[in-house]
């Protein structure tokens, strides 16, 4: 079974780097984005809904704890990473210790 990850802030700079990294490692990546987000999906368009290693986008809000729990259960996420307002290089993302789940 393919491992699954959920990334909040997936449309941002760091979230898109992380998504690319996880897709390259064979993960099924799910991304959370706010409906009110002013950012587009340009950074991840090349990865959205492309075969088995697609990034699947979900609308949601980190303030909605029940909705987040529902989404995690629905997609059976093994890894959860919140990337919001951080500035990390791709190398730092690879070495990151800020995971929920096995890294």
């Amino acid at each position: 079974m393919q491992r699954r990850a959920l990334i909040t802030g997936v449309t941002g700079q760091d979230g898109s780097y992380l998504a690319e990294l996880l897709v390259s490692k064979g993960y099924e990546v799910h991304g959370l984005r706010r409906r009110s987000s002013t950012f587009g999906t340009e950074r991840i368009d090349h990865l959205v809904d492309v075969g088995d290693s697609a990034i699947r986008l979900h609308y949601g809000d980190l303030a909605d704890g029940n909705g987040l729990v529902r989404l995690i259960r629905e997609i059976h996420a093994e890894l959860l990473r919140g990337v919001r307002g951080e500035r990390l290089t791709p190398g730092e993302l690879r070495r990151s210790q800020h995971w929920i789940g096995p890294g």
Side-chain angles (χ1 to χ4, degrees):
M1 185 170 163
Q2 189 175 28
R3 294 181 77 183
R4 295 185 182 135
L6 174 63
I7 303 171
T8 67
V10 72
T11 58
Q13 176 180 329
D14 296 338
S16 64
Y17 284 147
L18 180 58
E20 285 182 352
L21 174 67
L22 292 176
V23 166
S24 75
K25 291 181 177 251
Y27 279 79
E28 177 182 307
V29 176
H30 294 259
L32 185 70
R33 75 182 285 203
R34 291 177 292 147
R35 287 190 189 279
S36 62
S37 177
T38 57
F39 293 106
T41 59
E42 298 83 21
R43 292 184 178 112
I44 58 170
D45 278 344
H46 63 290
L47 298 171
V48 175
D49 297 325
V50 180
D52 291 336
S53 295
I55 293 179
R56 292 169 178 85
L57 296 177
H58 304 271
Y59 286 105
D61 193 314
L62 291 177
D64 177 12
N66 290 332
L68 250 166
V69 169
R70 259 192 318 275
L71 179 60
I72 292 167
R73 287 181 179 158
E74 176 186 317
I75 66 175
H76 304 286
E78 296 177 52
L79 298 175
L80 172 60
R81 173 67 183 187
V83 183
R84 183 184 63 142
E86 298 178 32
R87 292 292 174 250
L88 302 173
T89 67
E92 289 170 325
L93 286 170
R94 287 184 192 91
R95 295 183 303 271
S96 178
Q97 298 299 310
H98 304 287
W99 292 95
I100 295 175

